[in-house]
mmCIF file of all heavy atoms in Angstrom:
data_model
loop_
_atom_site.group_PDB
_atom_site.id
_atom_site.type_symbol
_atom_site.label_atom_id
_atom_site.label_comp_id
_atom_site.label_asym_id
_atom_site.label_seq_id
_atom_site.Cartn_x
_atom_site.Cartn_y
_atom_site.Cartn_z
ATOM 1 N N ASP A 968 72.436 124.917 36.295
ATOM 2 C CA ASP A 968 73.209 124.344 35.152
ATOM 3 C C ASP A 968 73.708 125.437 34.181
ATOM 4 O O ASP A 968 73.141 126.455 34.052
ATOM 5 C CB ASP A 968 72.491 123.154 34.479
ATOM 6 C CG ASP A 968 72.231 121.970 35.352
ATOM 7 O OD1 ASP A 968 72.941 121.828 36.232
ATOM 8 O OD2 ASP A 968 71.202 121.366 34.947
ATOM 9 N N ASN A 969 74.743 125.150 33.455
ATOM 10 C CA ASN A 969 75.176 125.979 32.458
ATOM 11 C C ASN A 969 74.069 126.126 31.354
ATOM 12 O O ASN A 969 73.301 125.204 30.982
ATOM 13 C CB ASN A 969 76.411 125.425 31.677
ATOM 14 C CG ASN A 969 77.622 125.368 32.521
ATOM 15 O OD1 ASN A 969 77.661 125.896 33.581
ATOM 16 N ND2 ASN A 969 78.662 124.589 32.044
ATOM 17 N N ASN A 970 73.891 127.294 30.810
ATOM 18 C CA ASN A 970 72.950 127.614 29.676
ATOM 19 C C ASN A 970 71.543 127.080 30.002
ATOM 20 O O ASN A 970 70.911 126.583 29.146
ATOM 21 C CB ASN A 970 73.476 126.923 28.452
ATOM 22 C CG ASN A 970 74.853 127.329 28.101
ATOM 23 O OD1 ASN A 970 75.222 128.505 28.059
ATOM 24 N ND2 ASN A 970 75.761 126.312 27.996
ATOM 25 N N SER A 971 71.017 127.320 31.279
ATOM 26 C CA SER A 971 69.732 126.691 31.616
ATOM 27 C C SER A 971 68.632 127.788 31.953
ATOM 28 O O SER A 971 67.549 127.395 32.046
ATOM 29 C CB SER A 971 69.850 125.844 32.782
ATOM 30 O OG SER A 971 70.366 126.603 33.960
ATOM 31 N N ILE A 972 69.009 129.028 31.942
ATOM 32 C CA ILE A 972 68.137 130.125 32.429
ATOM 33 C C ILE A 972 67.915 131.112 31.239
ATOM 34 O O ILE A 972 68.830 131.499 30.517
ATOM 35 C CB ILE A 972 68.661 130.908 33.642
ATOM 36 C CG1 ILE A 972 68.956 129.858 34.761
ATOM 37 C CG2 ILE A 972 67.747 131.946 34.084
ATOM 38 C CD1 ILE A 972 67.753 129.155 35.334
ATOM 39 N N ASP A 973 66.568 131.456 31.059
ATOM 40 C CA ASP A 973 66.162 132.420 30.020
ATOM 41 C C ASP A 973 66.516 133.830 30.360
ATOM 42 O O ASP A 973 66.870 134.673 29.507
ATOM 43 C CB ASP A 973 64.718 132.265 29.681
ATOM 44 C CG ASP A 973 64.388 130.898 29.051
ATOM 45 O OD1 ASP A 973 64.967 130.481 28.063
ATOM 46 O OD2 ASP A 973 63.505 130.214 29.661
ATOM 47 N N GLY A 974 66.289 134.241 31.696
ATOM 48 C CA GLY A 974 66.449 135.583 32.036
ATOM 49 C C GLY A 974 66.790 135.747 33.473
ATOM 50 O O GLY A 974 66.387 134.875 34.334
ATOM 51 N N ILE A 975 67.335 136.875 33.871
ATOM 52 C CA ILE A 975 67.682 137.215 35.246
ATOM 53 C C ILE A 975 67.197 138.644 35.526
ATOM 54 O O ILE A 975 67.396 139.443 34.634
ATOM 55 C CB ILE A 975 69.254 137.032 35.451
ATOM 56 C CG1 ILE A 975 69.703 135.616 35.462
ATOM 57 C CG2 ILE A 975 69.580 137.702 36.858
ATOM 58 C CD1 ILE A 975 71.147 135.481 35.364
ATOM 59 N N THR A 976 66.661 138.920 36.639
ATOM 60 C CA THR A 976 66.452 140.204 37.204
ATOM 61 C C THR A 976 67.247 140.445 38.457
ATOM 62 O O THR A 976 67.410 139.486 39.223
ATOM 63 C CB THR A 976 64.870 140.479 37.462
ATOM 64 O OG1 THR A 976 64.494 139.553 38.445
ATOM 65 C CG2 THR A 976 64.050 140.355 36.283
ATOM 66 N N CYS A 977 67.821 141.598 38.529
ATOM 67 C CA CYS A 977 68.617 141.979 39.748
ATOM 68 C C CYS A 977 68.270 143.426 40.044
ATOM 69 O O CYS A 977 68.831 144.331 39.406
ATOM 70 C CB CYS A 977 70.111 141.737 39.423
ATOM 71 S SG CYS A 977 71.129 142.033 40.871
ATOM 72 N N ILE A 978 67.340 143.616 40.936
ATOM 73 C CA ILE A 978 66.780 144.836 41.154
ATOM 74 C C ILE A 978 67.287 145.470 42.515
ATOM 75 O O ILE A 978 67.073 144.904 43.584
ATOM 76 C CB ILE A 978 65.325 144.825 41.233
ATOM 77 C CG1 ILE A 978 64.718 144.085 40.018
ATOM 78 C CG2 ILE A 978 64.612 146.151 41.380
ATOM 79 C CD1 ILE A 978 65.045 144.754 38.683
ATOM 80 N N GLU A 979 67.961 146.567 42.444
ATOM 81 C CA GLU A 979 68.673 147.236 43.591
ATOM 82 C C GLU A 979 69.311 146.237 44.569
ATOM 83 O O GLU A 979 69.006 146.222 45.742
ATOM 84 C CB GLU A 979 67.480 147.980 44.328
ATOM 85 C CG GLU A 979 66.638 148.828 43.381
ATOM 86 C CD GLU A 979 67.353 150.009 42.740
ATOM 87 O OE1 GLU A 979 67.762 150.968 43.475
ATOM 88 O OE2 GLU A 979 67.603 150.015 41.466
ATOM 89 N N THR A 980 70.252 145.532 43.974
ATOM 90 C CA THR A 980 70.927 144.524 44.818
ATOM 91 C C THR A 980 72.449 144.693 44.787
ATOM 92 O O THR A 980 73.079 144.441 45.781
ATOM 93 C CB THR A 980 70.509 143.096 44.389
ATOM 94 O OG1 THR A 980 69.128 142.905 44.494
ATOM 95 C CG2 THR A 980 71.205 142.023 45.041
ATOM 96 N N ILE A 981 73.050 144.954 43.613
ATOM 97 C CA ILE A 981 74.463 144.948 43.539
ATOM 98 C C ILE A 981 75.170 145.990 44.471
ATOM 99 O O ILE A 981 76.256 145.855 44.846
ATOM 100 C CB ILE A 981 74.992 145.163 42.137
ATOM 101 C CG1 ILE A 981 74.595 146.582 41.540
ATOM 102 C CG2 ILE A 981 74.512 143.968 41.231
ATOM 103 C CD1 ILE A 981 75.346 146.743 40.176
ATOM 104 N N GLU A 982 74.387 147.058 44.839
ATOM 105 C CA GLU A 982 74.948 147.975 45.750
ATOM 106 C C GLU A 982 75.120 147.457 47.157
ATOM 107 O O GLU A 982 75.814 148.173 48.002
ATOM 108 C CB GLU A 982 74.046 149.301 45.694
ATOM 109 C CG GLU A 982 72.612 149.094 46.275
ATOM 110 C CD GLU A 982 71.631 148.648 45.327
ATOM 111 O OE1 GLU A 982 72.073 148.239 44.125
ATOM 112 O OE2 GLU A 982 70.500 148.573 45.585
ATOM 113 N N HIS A 983 74.542 146.352 47.559
ATOM 114 C CA HIS A 983 74.708 145.732 48.837
ATOM 115 C C HIS A 983 75.864 144.680 48.772
ATOM 116 O O HIS A 983 76.086 144.042 49.784
ATOM 117 C CB HIS A 983 73.416 145.075 49.174
ATOM 118 C CG HIS A 983 72.198 145.962 49.255
ATOM 119 N ND1 HIS A 983 72.058 146.894 50.118
ATOM 120 C CD2 HIS A 983 71.095 146.022 48.369
ATOM 121 C CE1 HIS A 983 70.965 147.696 49.919
ATOM 122 N NE2 HIS A 983 70.382 147.123 48.854
ATOM 123 N N ASN A 984 76.534 144.681 47.683
ATOM 124 C CA ASN A 984 77.690 143.747 47.635
ATOM 125 C C ASN A 984 78.936 144.569 47.221
ATOM 126 O O ASN A 984 78.870 145.751 46.805
ATOM 127 C CB ASN A 984 77.424 142.704 46.482
ATOM 128 C CG ASN A 984 76.326 141.800 46.814
ATOM 129 O OD1 ASN A 984 76.432 140.772 47.381
ATOM 130 N ND2 ASN A 984 75.058 142.278 46.492
ATOM 131 N N ASP A 985 80.095 143.956 47.336
ATOM 132 C CA ASP A 985 81.319 144.710 46.931
ATOM 133 C C ASP A 985 81.595 144.562 45.433
ATOM 134 O O ASP A 985 80.875 143.752 44.764
ATOM 135 C CB ASP A 985 82.451 144.367 47.819
ATOM 136 C CG ASP A 985 82.993 142.899 47.629
ATOM 137 O OD1 ASP A 985 82.695 142.317 46.625
ATOM 138 O OD2 ASP A 985 83.660 142.440 48.547
ATOM 139 N N VAL A 986 82.544 145.187 45.014
ATOM 140 C CA VAL A 986 82.935 145.148 43.528
ATOM 141 C C VAL A 986 83.296 143.809 43.076
ATOM 142 O O VAL A 986 82.856 143.376 41.952
ATOM 143 C CB VAL A 986 84.033 146.172 43.246
ATOM 144 C CG1 VAL A 986 84.461 146.111 41.792
ATOM 145 C CG2 VAL A 986 83.599 147.632 43.575
ATOM 146 N N ASP A 987 84.066 143.070 43.823
ATOM 147 C CA ASP A 987 84.428 141.741 43.435
ATOM 148 C C ASP A 987 83.184 140.814 43.371
ATOM 149 O O ASP A 987 83.115 140.025 42.327
ATOM 150 C CB ASP A 987 85.384 141.080 44.356
ATOM 151 C CG ASP A 987 86.802 141.715 44.309
ATOM 152 O OD1 ASP A 987 87.048 142.390 43.409
ATOM 153 O OD2 ASP A 987 87.525 141.590 45.393
ATOM 154 N N GLU A 988 82.279 140.951 44.122
ATOM 155 C CA GLU A 988 81.080 140.144 44.138
ATOM 156 C C GLU A 988 80.162 140.494 42.845
ATOM 157 O O GLU A 988 79.457 139.632 42.275
ATOM 158 C CB GLU A 988 80.267 140.295 45.421
ATOM 159 C CG GLU A 988 80.992 139.653 46.512
ATOM 160 C CD GLU A 988 80.362 139.978 47.930
ATOM 161 O OE1 GLU A 988 79.615 141.019 47.958
ATOM 162 O OE2 GLU A 988 80.541 139.351 48.927
ATOM 163 N N PHE A 989 80.228 141.762 42.508
ATOM 164 C CA PHE A 989 79.435 142.122 41.309
ATOM 165 C C PHE A 989 80.170 141.549 40.114
ATOM 166 O O PHE A 989 79.413 140.918 39.198
ATOM 167 C CB PHE A 989 79.497 143.739 41.207
ATOM 168 C CG PHE A 989 78.750 144.234 39.946
ATOM 169 C CD1 PHE A 989 77.723 143.550 39.320
ATOM 170 C CD2 PHE A 989 79.170 145.498 39.471
ATOM 171 C CE1 PHE A 989 77.110 144.089 38.176
ATOM 172 C CE2 PHE A 989 78.513 145.974 38.360
ATOM 173 C CZ PHE A 989 77.533 145.314 37.731
ATOM 174 N N GLU A 990 81.432 141.502 40.058
ATOM 175 C CA GLU A 990 82.111 140.977 38.811
ATOM 176 C C GLU A 990 81.860 139.474 38.868
ATOM 177 O O GLU A 990 81.653 138.862 37.804
ATOM 178 C CB GLU A 990 83.593 141.250 38.945
ATOM 179 C CG GLU A 990 84.431 140.816 37.809
ATOM 180 C CD GLU A 990 85.783 141.239 37.733
ATOM 181 O OE1 GLU A 990 86.150 142.086 38.575
ATOM 182 O OE2 GLU A 990 86.564 140.838 36.843
ATOM 183 N N MET A 991 81.954 138.866 40.011
ATOM 184 C CA MET A 991 81.787 137.357 40.133
ATOM 185 C C MET A 991 80.315 137.027 39.638
ATOM 186 O O MET A 991 79.997 136.017 39.064
ATOM 187 C CB MET A 991 81.987 136.848 41.549
ATOM 188 C CG MET A 991 83.544 137.011 41.944
ATOM 189 S SD MET A 991 83.631 136.789 43.792
ATOM 190 C CE MET A 991 82.886 135.272 43.999
ATOM 191 N N SER A 992 79.387 137.910 39.952
ATOM 192 C CA SER A 992 77.919 137.648 39.663
ATOM 193 C C SER A 992 77.822 137.718 38.142
ATOM 194 O O SER A 992 77.126 136.840 37.602
ATOM 195 C CB SER A 992 77.123 138.650 40.284
ATOM 196 O OG SER A 992 77.101 138.600 41.712
ATOM 197 N N LEU A 993 78.348 138.731 37.505
ATOM 198 C CA LEU A 993 78.225 138.877 36.092
ATOM 199 C C LEU A 993 78.794 137.525 35.362
ATOM 200 O O LEU A 993 78.286 136.990 34.423
ATOM 201 C CB LEU A 993 79.030 140.044 35.560
ATOM 202 C CG LEU A 993 78.319 141.373 35.775
ATOM 203 C CD1 LEU A 993 79.280 142.582 35.551
ATOM 204 C CD2 LEU A 993 77.049 141.500 34.819
ATOM 205 N N LYS A 994 79.927 137.010 35.868
ATOM 206 C CA LYS A 994 80.460 135.866 35.368
ATOM 207 C C LYS A 994 79.597 134.659 35.495
ATOM 208 O O LYS A 994 79.374 133.782 34.602
ATOM 209 C CB LYS A 994 81.965 135.533 36.038
ATOM 210 C CG LYS A 994 82.590 134.259 35.523
ATOM 211 C CD LYS A 994 83.880 134.064 36.216
ATOM 212 C CE LYS A 994 84.650 132.895 35.712
ATOM 213 N NZ LYS A 994 85.868 132.666 36.353
ATOM 214 N N GLU A 995 78.963 134.590 36.675
ATOM 215 C CA GLU A 995 78.033 133.469 37.044
ATOM 216 C C GLU A 995 76.832 133.613 36.127
ATOM 217 O O GLU A 995 76.239 132.518 35.693
ATOM 218 C CB GLU A 995 77.638 133.415 38.475
ATOM 219 C CG GLU A 995 76.665 132.505 38.973
ATOM 220 C CD GLU A 995 77.141 130.956 38.882
ATOM 221 O OE1 GLU A 995 78.321 130.781 38.497
ATOM 222 O OE2 GLU A 995 76.440 130.107 39.381
ATOM 223 N N TRP A 996 76.223 134.809 35.944
ATOM 224 C CA TRP A 996 75.052 134.970 35.195
ATOM 225 C C TRP A 996 75.332 134.584 33.750
ATOM 226 O O TRP A 996 74.424 133.992 33.191
ATOM 227 C CB TRP A 996 74.613 136.413 35.315
ATOM 228 C CG TRP A 996 74.274 136.826 36.716
ATOM 229 C CD1 TRP A 996 74.075 136.104 37.847
ATOM 230 C CD2 TRP A 996 73.996 138.206 37.059
ATOM 231 N NE1 TRP A 996 73.814 136.872 38.885
ATOM 232 C CE2 TRP A 996 73.785 138.169 38.512
ATOM 233 C CE3 TRP A 996 74.161 139.423 36.463
ATOM 234 C CZ2 TRP A 996 73.543 139.291 39.376
ATOM 235 C CZ3 TRP A 996 73.843 140.662 37.245
ATOM 236 C CH2 TRP A 996 73.594 140.436 38.612
ATOM 237 N N TYR A 997 76.521 134.945 33.205
ATOM 238 C CA TYR A 997 76.842 134.518 31.951
ATOM 239 C C TYR A 997 76.863 133.020 31.792
ATOM 240 O O TYR A 997 76.385 132.455 30.736
ATOM 241 C CB TYR A 997 78.177 135.082 31.441
ATOM 242 C CG TYR A 997 78.475 134.896 29.976
ATOM 243 C CD1 TYR A 997 78.078 135.866 29.103
ATOM 244 C CD2 TYR A 997 79.122 133.781 29.538
ATOM 245 C CE1 TYR A 997 78.233 135.690 27.752
ATOM 246 C CE2 TYR A 997 79.393 133.596 28.151
ATOM 247 C CZ TYR A 997 78.929 134.643 27.316
ATOM 248 O OH TYR A 997 79.178 134.438 25.941
ATOM 249 N N ARG A 998 77.447 132.293 32.802
ATOM 250 C CA ARG A 998 77.399 130.791 32.760
ATOM 251 C C ARG A 998 76.097 130.176 32.606
ATOM 252 O O ARG A 998 75.831 129.381 31.892
ATOM 253 C CB ARG A 998 78.236 130.328 34.043
ATOM 254 C CG ARG A 998 78.329 128.833 34.094
ATOM 255 C CD ARG A 998 78.891 128.354 35.373
ATOM 256 N NE ARG A 998 77.902 128.539 36.527
ATOM 257 C CZ ARG A 998 76.906 127.617 36.723
ATOM 258 N NH1 ARG A 998 76.684 126.613 36.030
ATOM 259 N NH2 ARG A 998 76.143 127.824 37.855
ATOM 260 N N ILE A 999 75.161 130.737 33.543
ATOM 261 C CA ILE A 999 73.861 129.955 33.623
ATOM 262 C C ILE A 999 72.863 130.478 32.570
ATOM 263 O O ILE A 999 71.926 129.676 32.317
ATOM 264 C CB ILE A 999 73.227 130.162 35.010
ATOM 265 C CG1 ILE A 999 72.864 131.694 35.318
ATOM 266 C CG2 ILE A 999 74.253 129.637 36.062
ATOM 267 C CD1 ILE A 999 72.172 131.956 36.653
ATOM 268 N N LEU A 1000 72.964 131.608 31.957
ATOM 269 C CA LEU A 1000 72.131 132.033 30.925
ATOM 270 C C LEU A 1000 72.255 131.261 29.613
ATOM 271 O O LEU A 1000 73.384 130.934 29.235
ATOM 272 C CB LEU A 1000 72.229 133.512 30.612
ATOM 273 C CG LEU A 1000 71.689 134.510 31.544
ATOM 274 C CD1 LEU A 1000 72.150 135.949 31.286
ATOM 275 C CD2 LEU A 1000 70.203 134.442 31.658
ATOM 276 N N LYS A 1001 71.128 131.019 29.033
ATOM 277 C CA LYS A 1001 71.104 130.516 27.630
ATOM 278 C C LYS A 1001 71.637 131.536 26.651
ATOM 279 O O LYS A 1001 71.544 132.755 26.905
ATOM 280 C CB LYS A 1001 69.687 130.043 27.190
ATOM 281 C CG LYS A 1001 69.105 129.059 28.095
ATOM 282 C CD LYS A 1001 67.612 128.768 27.583
ATOM 283 C CE LYS A 1001 66.957 127.731 28.465
ATOM 284 N NZ LYS A 1001 65.484 127.522 28.099
ATOM 285 N N PRO A 1002 72.232 131.157 25.474
ATOM 286 C CA PRO A 1002 72.552 132.140 24.433
ATOM 287 C C PRO A 1002 71.405 132.972 24.088
ATOM 288 O O PRO A 1002 70.322 132.486 23.925
ATOM 289 C CB PRO A 1002 73.095 131.277 23.242
ATOM 290 C CG PRO A 1002 73.468 129.986 23.922
ATOM 291 C CD PRO A 1002 72.564 129.752 25.100
ATOM 292 N N GLY A 1003 71.577 134.273 24.112
ATOM 293 C CA GLY A 1003 70.461 135.176 23.833
ATOM 294 C C GLY A 1003 69.710 135.484 25.113
ATOM 295 O O GLY A 1003 68.738 136.350 25.107
ATOM 296 N N GLY A 1004 69.985 134.875 26.291
ATOM 297 C CA GLY A 1004 69.273 135.198 27.553
ATOM 298 C C GLY A 1004 69.660 136.509 27.996
ATOM 299 O O GLY A 1004 70.651 137.236 27.508
ATOM 300 N N PHE A 1005 68.850 137.116 28.984
ATOM 301 C CA PHE A 1005 69.014 138.521 29.241
ATOM 302 C C PHE A 1005 69.264 138.732 30.833
ATOM 303 O O PHE A 1005 68.764 137.862 31.613
ATOM 304 C CB PHE A 1005 67.883 139.324 28.821
ATOM 305 C CG PHE A 1005 66.559 139.036 29.544
ATOM 306 C CD1 PHE A 1005 66.207 139.713 30.687
ATOM 307 C CD2 PHE A 1005 65.693 137.999 28.989
ATOM 308 C CE1 PHE A 1005 65.014 139.315 31.362
ATOM 309 C CE2 PHE A 1005 64.432 137.806 29.650
ATOM 310 C CZ PHE A 1005 64.169 138.388 30.804
ATOM 311 N N VAL A 1006 69.715 139.863 31.204
ATOM 312 C CA VAL A 1006 69.783 140.333 32.608
ATOM 313 C C VAL A 1006 69.077 141.761 32.585
ATOM 314 O O VAL A 1006 69.523 142.630 31.792
ATOM 315 C CB VAL A 1006 71.179 140.504 33.081
ATOM 316 C CG1 VAL A 1006 71.137 141.031 34.541
ATOM 317 C CG2 VAL A 1006 71.913 139.119 33.102
ATOM 318 N N TRP A 1007 68.129 142.036 33.520
ATOM 319 C CA TRP A 1007 67.548 143.290 33.707
ATOM 320 C C TRP A 1007 68.153 143.653 35.092
ATOM 321 O O TRP A 1007 67.690 143.193 36.043
ATOM 322 C CB TRP A 1007 66.045 143.315 33.688
ATOM 323 C CG TRP A 1007 65.444 144.679 33.982
ATOM 324 C CD1 TRP A 1007 64.520 144.871 35.013
ATOM 325 C CD2 TRP A 1007 65.648 145.884 33.471
ATOM 326 N NE1 TRP A 1007 64.113 146.149 35.051
ATOM 327 C CE2 TRP A 1007 64.792 146.815 34.174
ATOM 328 C CE3 TRP A 1007 66.524 146.431 32.447
ATOM 329 C CZ2 TRP A 1007 64.752 148.206 33.892
ATOM 330 C CZ3 TRP A 1007 66.547 147.698 32.221
ATOM 331 C CH2 TRP A 1007 65.666 148.573 32.906
ATOM 332 N N LEU A 1008 68.958 144.695 35.091
ATOM 333 C CA LEU A 1008 69.726 145.188 36.263
ATOM 334 C C LEU A 1008 69.358 146.569 36.509
ATOM 335 O O LEU A 1008 69.431 147.474 35.631
ATOM 336 C CB LEU A 1008 71.267 145.028 35.838
ATOM 337 C CG LEU A 1008 72.148 145.685 36.887
ATOM 338 C CD1 LEU A 1008 72.312 144.779 38.215
ATOM 339 C CD2 LEU A 1008 73.638 145.743 36.226
ATOM 340 N N THR A 1009 69.035 146.826 37.734
ATOM 341 C CA THR A 1009 68.857 148.184 38.261
ATOM 342 C C THR A 1009 69.641 148.470 39.493
ATOM 343 O O THR A 1009 69.737 147.520 40.293
ATOM 344 C CB THR A 1009 67.379 148.664 38.446
ATOM 345 O OG1 THR A 1009 66.991 148.087 39.829
ATOM 346 C CG2 THR A 1009 66.486 148.204 37.375
ATOM 347 N N THR A 1010 70.257 149.642 39.604
ATOM 348 C CA THR A 1010 71.010 149.998 40.847
ATOM 349 C C THR A 1010 71.085 151.510 41.013
ATOM 350 O O THR A 1010 71.094 152.214 39.889
ATOM 351 C CB THR A 1010 72.511 149.412 40.759
ATOM 352 O OG1 THR A 1010 73.159 149.511 41.990
ATOM 353 C CG2 THR A 1010 73.322 150.070 39.663
ATOM 354 N N PRO A 1011 71.052 152.027 42.234
ATOM 355 C CA PRO A 1011 71.083 153.508 42.393
ATOM 356 C C PRO A 1011 72.284 154.134 41.686
ATOM 357 O O PRO A 1011 73.433 153.576 41.812
ATOM 358 C CB PRO A 1011 71.066 153.761 43.825
ATOM 359 C CG PRO A 1011 70.580 152.412 44.440
ATOM 360 C CD PRO A 1011 71.024 151.362 43.549
ATOM 361 N N LEU A 1012 72.061 155.239 41.049
ATOM 362 C CA LEU A 1012 73.177 155.981 40.488
ATOM 363 C C LEU A 1012 74.103 156.531 41.504
ATOM 364 O O LEU A 1012 73.589 157.045 42.558
ATOM 365 C CB LEU A 1012 72.628 157.191 39.548
ATOM 366 C CG LEU A 1012 72.301 156.704 38.117
ATOM 367 C CD1 LEU A 1012 71.627 157.947 37.431
ATOM 368 C CD2 LEU A 1012 73.637 156.342 37.361
#
């Protein structure tokens, strides 16, 4: 649901998706996170 999640972790995952999917994921994460919720994201440089 919208605004239902406190936090998200995404560890070494976005590199296995294309750029459009990364952008779509950020949009989706913003939708489901509560205001003040967080994303901890790691990906290889």
